Amino acid sequence: MPGVTSNSGDSSLSIVPHFSDSQKPRIYPLRYHGLIPPLARVSISWARGSTLRVSLIQSDAISEKQPGGEVVEVKLTNMEGGEITEAQWRRIAYGSVTPFALLQSQKNLMDSSHYSKDWWEHVMEYSKEINSLLGNSKSSGNLVIEDPKAVLKKEEEPTSLKAAWELMEIFYADKQSETCIPERLLDWLADYDCLFSRTQPTVHAKLVDFQRELVTLQVVENDPKYWEAMSSALAVGWLDIVVKLLHLHGSYQFDQLGNRETENGLVEAVAVLISKMPRMRPDLPAEKLGECYQTKPEFMKAWEKWRAQITKLDCSAFWLQCDHHQTREGLKNMLQIMLGNTSILSNVTYHWIELFISHFLYIRPFTVGLENMCNLAQKCMHLKPISNHHKLMGLIIGILEENTEVVLAECSRSFGPWMITHALELLTAGSTQAEILLHEEQSKLGGINIEELHRLVYAQVLSSHALTWNIAPIYLTSCMKQGMGLLENLLYRQPVQNHQVLLKSIEICRLNELDIVSSNMMKISGVRNWKHGQKGSAVFWLQQAQDEVRLNRIAKQLFDFVGKSVSDESFKQWEGLIELLGTESKTAGGLKFLNIYRDFRRSLLQVHGGTTSDAAQKAVESLVSLMKNPSTPQRFWLPLLYDSLKLLNWQEHPLLNVSQTHLLLNKLQELSMARLRPDFTNVDLPPEALNSVRLALANNLGRAILEE
Amino acid sequence: MALTTFPPPNPSPVQIHRLPQYTYIDALRWLPQLSAFTRHILLATFDSDTSTPSIQILTFTPTQNPINTPSLTHQSSLSTPSRITSLKIAPSPVNPSKPLIAASTFSGSLLFYSADLVNGSLNLEFSVPEKGFHLGAVLGIDVSDNGSECVTVENGRVNLVNLAEKGSVRRVFDSNGLVSYSTVKWASPVEFVTGGLGFGLHWWDQRKPGGPVVQFKGNWTQGTTSGIVHSVDIQWSRKHTCLAGGSSGTVFAWDIRWQQQPIILSGAWAGGGPANSISESEVWEVQYDNYRHSSNTGNVSSSKILPAMICSEDGILAVIEQGEEPVELLAEPCAINSFDIDKENPSDVICSLEWESIAILMRPQDKRQ
């Protein structure tokens, strides 16, 4: 593993986020069922991922009925969890496999013309797919009757992960709306301002507070909070909310319309101006307000006209006729916001990013280029210093400062290996500088580049979980240098005793053309099955691996087993195994013997059943081929011949011809010689067996010679 | 006004709903249907965060509008001592609202539950402990209609469990590890088929004890590599034809009257090379598909194999019919581990996806029925 050893103590350098909460020890219960305390021994080792394997061993004094011990696994989890639970992380991991793989294959197709001009379209598609995984689908259209006093829509809390992804998309992937980044940031803030509310006052928090009070308020326009809420919302461009709030103004009520006509006219005029605000963006969602302009000159024209209208209204004589003090002041204040009054904007916004957005909206609508944005952001931060640093802030600053290293570090530190692996695709598409940095081979990383490093780390995280290990190969195979080697490692570490895992591993080998690995896994599985007495499975897997050496070796042991049951009825058990062996000697190896032996036994049984000499003839053929076959173990020769005595002494005519008899006699001779050797194993047969076979053969030979 | 002949309306497409579960699905089945509006699904799940296996009843409420996602709500859940390898459901002879559920486990035991469909509860009736019963995981079970239970394991033991006698066990066969079985299916009250290694199928008859009556081994692989049968299915009305699915996308039918000649429906060996194969990896489950069949029962010749549904490791759910192009219903980026066709309503299919979710498919109902 190209390990990057994290400096102990400085968590900002570690790649996998690590939380040290050393305050109180956490207790994990052991769930075992068959054991009775006290336990004699306990041993602990690491299992997969952050799981401990605890082996509990009983003392010897326990009765035989009890198991001797038990192995349990304990998962060490971060119980509190983060924003995103483990199950949700897995869902994101599953969902991002297809978009990632698709993008990689598109990249391979493009080969050298990596930066063809429509590449970003692929990246954008990828980004949208990934983005859709990060939030739960919005349940829209559920509310048929809208509550007029519900200013803020109640939606589930968005995650910072999604916010971070969208930021990356805005700045790196979306080339189409490069000119309207301010508008996209405005939308972004509308969705995610609530994330900052937890630690800090925000416009969103202000609106939430006001929403709570609104239900009990009788005359809204008398409450200064009403005007404050509207000013704040206006400053950050939430026009629909402002207009909705304005329409709650008391002057709209029928009984008041008569005597507050001018006041109502002013309120409505401001509302109309707000909803007519020119926006430089291709389109707007249905519920949002404003008028869209696509090109800069058109927008400029509209912008100037709009501001002229505001100024005109500001200087209007109607204000003098407005008796309601709060309304007059409030509306005037709003007009100042729209005219871009810096100090008021600063007063009605809370977070620096809110001020930042308000500047785009009302002061510098044409801000383009990261450098300008960065200068503005620094100015805003200076005006609104923040005590509590939200993790998104670091990312935003890194992006605006065009500092790829910072963006990488923030992604990785705050959002983990999934984020960095997938967001790299956006980074490399969006910035040449980042692309060079990420694809440069680093000698301190063992010659791999940063992109590969992050993929390897993410693959490692995936591999550490039993449900995600099998998607790790997708990421490993996208790593040019270390990927395949680590994939082999990963496969070898899978528990072959699990049937499903074994088959899955073999499938992964097939897809990646790792035939040797697959054959090795089959061998491992075969040997394991053999050791556990699963002889059939063992033979099957060794056959699949075409491992003749091991097949021959286990053949020897199998024959010991057969040797005891040659003539008894339990041979039925063997039928299934022999079926499995098939007829091809290549895959059967030394077990080919069993196959012929089965035929021999079948015919012999028929002979004993007293049927025709046809069966006897067949039995003899099998016998001869058995004796000819080099795989037939020597110690079976005599038992086989002894079993065939009836054939050798066949009454009607000799069943074996001269040459066949000679063959058998030779084998017998060989056997007699072998008996002298020290390693000869004696077979459990009556002592006269050898002599009776020899006699029968001699007898048969004589009759055969006469017949020929 | 011009008279125009409208083209016949397109057959409404298959509705597919993917529902994430945030837990691994080990097995799933439709439960018998009590009413047309509420349907129940049985899931065997494994929560990897807490390492707890359990079985659950879920209520499925289909929607009229295909755009909306049907709702799936939890009714009850019971944790099980070990992960479930196979689930089978038998209708209760006494009370149709209380079907019997048989579940086999990785640790080698067998669990029997009764489900109460009226209030959606589960109740453990009795269990057969692993000791002396099976060595290793129970890989396949099947419940016969006459109330006995057949079990097979990795280690090649075939046991029968009598349900009427609350789980008394009878050993049918013990191969001492020489043969392994992975799946089992009743063919009649006294006969059943087991499938296992080497594309092998064994036919058993309880009237002829001592071992399998007929054995079949797929030897079309020309000796290089072979495979495993993962699933078999038989229709009792045509009990001599056994449908089997296994490795390398292989689906074949074995007629015990033509013992050594299988009919290969799909697979890398199906003659024309991989082109004939809808899947190239493990076929995890096969079931005869009654859906299309319902409209044209009359003209299906008895020699033709009935349509079969399969699911595979490479994410395919498809219907295969002899001599016709396979119909792909789903192509997922992850494995489809199992599926179940609703017996009362064969247009509806549920399947479990490897990525901790289930998919529900609703094929257009045949109006001619």
Side-chain angles (χ1 to χ4, degrees), chain A residues 252-264:
Chain A
Y252 280 98
Q253 282 170 16
F254 283 116
D255 52 339
Q256 313 226 346
L257 213 54
N259 45 18
R260 298 172 74 177
E261 205 173 341
T262 319
E263 193 185 339
N264 183 253

Side-chain angles (χ1 to χ4, degrees), chain A residues 75 143 257 358 360 456 504 602 635 645 671:
Chain A
K75 187 172 273 172
L143 284 169
L257 213 54
S358 70
F360 284 147
L456 292 177
K504 200 166 278 292
R602 272 196 192 150
R635 66 205 142 96
L645 269 182
L671 201 61

Side-chain angles (χ1 to χ4, degrees), chain A residues 31 75 90-91 94 98 465 470 503-504 507 510 533-537 540 544 546 573 579-580 587, chain B residues 22 48-50 52 155 174 176-178 180 198 215 217 223-224 226 230 280-281 313 333 354-356:
Chain A
R31 280 187 292 176
K75 187 172 273 172
R90 286 201 303 277
R91 194 177 164 220
Y94 298 142
T98 313
H465 196 284
N470 55 18
L503 291 171
K504 200 166 278 292
E507 170 76 3
R510 185 179 72 87
Q534 295 155 1
K535 303 182 187 68
S537 308
F540 173 77
Q544 290 291 90
Q546 305 190 11
Q573 289 180 337
E579 275 292 337
L580 180 66
T587 48
Chain B
Y22 300 105
S48 79
D49 293 337
T50 55
T52 39
N155 245 15
D174 187 350
N176 286 318
L178 289 170
S180 293
Q215 298 190 20
K217 183 188 181 276
T224 46
S226 183
H230 296 302
E280 287 174 46
S281 51
E313 173 66 32
E354 186 185 17
W355 288 348
E356 299 178 65

Side-chain angles (χ1 to χ4, degrees), chain A residues 300-315:
Chain A
M300 280 271 260
K301 225 170 122 189
W303 171 258
E304 291 303 331
K305 199 177 148 201
W306 182 68
R307 280 178 66 109
Q309 284 170 335
I310 296 170
T311 322
K312 199 176 150 197
L313 181 65
D314 199 25
C315 307

Side-chain angles (χ1 to χ4, degrees), chain A residues 412-465:
Chain A
S412 155
R413 185 173 66 120
S414 310
F415 305 100
W418 174 86
M419 176 68 175
I420 183 89
T421 307
H422 292 87
L424 280 184
E425 299 299 333
L426 306 183
L427 257 172
T428 48
S431 131
T432 324
Q433 181 218 345
E435 208 265 337
I436 292 165
L437 177 75
L438 291 169
H439 289 161
E440 189 186 4
E441 287 176 6
Q442 308 273 336
S443 59
K444 63 179 181 224
L445 298 177
I448 62 170
N449 60 36
I450 295 179
E451 183 184 70
E452 176 160 349
L453 171 76
H454 286 297
R455 285 182 189 168
L456 292 177
V457 171
Y458 178 57
Q460 199 73 358
V461 172
L462 290 175
S463 318
S464 71
H465 196 284

Side-chain angles (χ1 to χ4, degrees), chain A residues 62-88:
Chain A
I62 297 296
S63 68
E64 275 183 19
K65 279 184 183 170
Q66 293 297 326
E70 208 172 310
V71 179
V72 289
E73 291 200 339
V74 182
K75 187 172 273 172
L76 310 173
T77 48
N78 190 18
M79 296 289 219
E80 287 87 53
E83 236 181 354
I84 297 168
T85 64
E86 274 194 49
Q88 278 166 326

Side-chain angles (χ1 to χ4, degrees), chain A residues 326-338:
Chain A
Q326 278 102 331
T327 304
R328 196 173 59 226
E329 291 307 304
L331 289 177
K332 280 259 192 182
N333 202 42
M334 286 164 81
L335 290 180
Q336 282 305 307
I337 289 171
M338 287 193 276

